[in-house]
Amino acid sequence: MSVKETIQVDESQKGEPGVQEVITPIPVGNQIIKKATYWRSILQDDLNPEVTDGVSTVRFAVPAMVDEEYETEEMNEDGTKQIGIRQILDLKWYEADLGAENVARLQEAVKPFVAGARESEAPISKPARKKRAAK
């Protein structure tokens, strides 16, 4: 997340998206009083930092070759199978904070691929068959 600045806002904005409550302990005599303040992070476009209006976080995946561990047919001295590493095609997930203009540019760039694609359900977290390390 690209945060241009964080500004303090009034308590009346505490339930709005992007507003976080910060509890500050204040010593008063022998007691500690906790005071709540509210802060909003102003996002900036990751590609154009001057843009802060209408910026939203976009999540997308890109195909990438990654290392996958697998059990080989060869055996270790203790009788367990040896582990090998092979390259497989998988998805690598990204997030970018983009203003409306750059969201439109991203949509335009993937348009030919979307045109030839099938719609799919959102990804569901699934246990990996083997431990994968991005390369």
Side-chain angles (χ1 to χ4, degrees):
M1 171 171 50
S2 297
V3 177
K4 179 175 183 175
E5 64 182 313
T6 303
I7 58 171
Q8 189 170 359
V9 296
D10 187 73
E11 184 178 1
S12 64
Q13 297 180 32
K14 71 179 179 182
E16 294 179 11
V19 174
Q20 294 181 341
E21 179 180 70
V22 176
I23 305 294
T24 307
I26 302 171
V28 178
N30 293 339
Q31 297 181 7
I32 302 277
I33 297 174
K34 295 180 181 179
K35 179 173 175 34
T37 54
Y38 301 91
W39 299 83
R40 178 187 308 276
S41 296
I42 306 298
L43 293 180
Q44 63 186 23
D45 187 302
D46 288 331
L47 302 177
N48 185 359
E50 289 87 39
V51 175
T52 57
D53 289 336
V55 173
S56 55
T57 301
V58 176
R59 188 168 188 247
F60 57 97
V62 176
M65 297 304 291
V66 298
D67 288 343
E68 178 185 57
E69 292 181 354
Y70 69 100
E71 293 179 347
T72 68
E73 296 304 316
E74 298 177 34
M75 303 299 273
N76 292 314
E77 291 177 10
D78 65 359
T80 60
K81 291 188 177 183
Q82 288 185 0
I83 301 295
I85 296 177
R86 61 184 166 208
Q87 290 271 297
I88 63 165
L89 183 63
D90 200 359
L91 293 177
K92 195 166 181 184
W93 287 89
Y94 296 90
E95 285 186 352
D97 298 323
L98 302 175
E101 184 177 313
N102 280 326
V103 169
R105 286 180 54 208
L106 177 61
Q107 289 172 323
E108 189 63 31
V110 299
K111 191 181 278 187
F113 302 98
V114 171
R118 299 173 299 280
E119 278 199 38
S120 173
E121 297 294 319
I124 299 172
S125 296
K126 60 180 179 177
R129 292 177 305 179
K130 298 289 175 190
K131 182 178 177 184
R132 294 181 180 175
K135 190 156 190 160

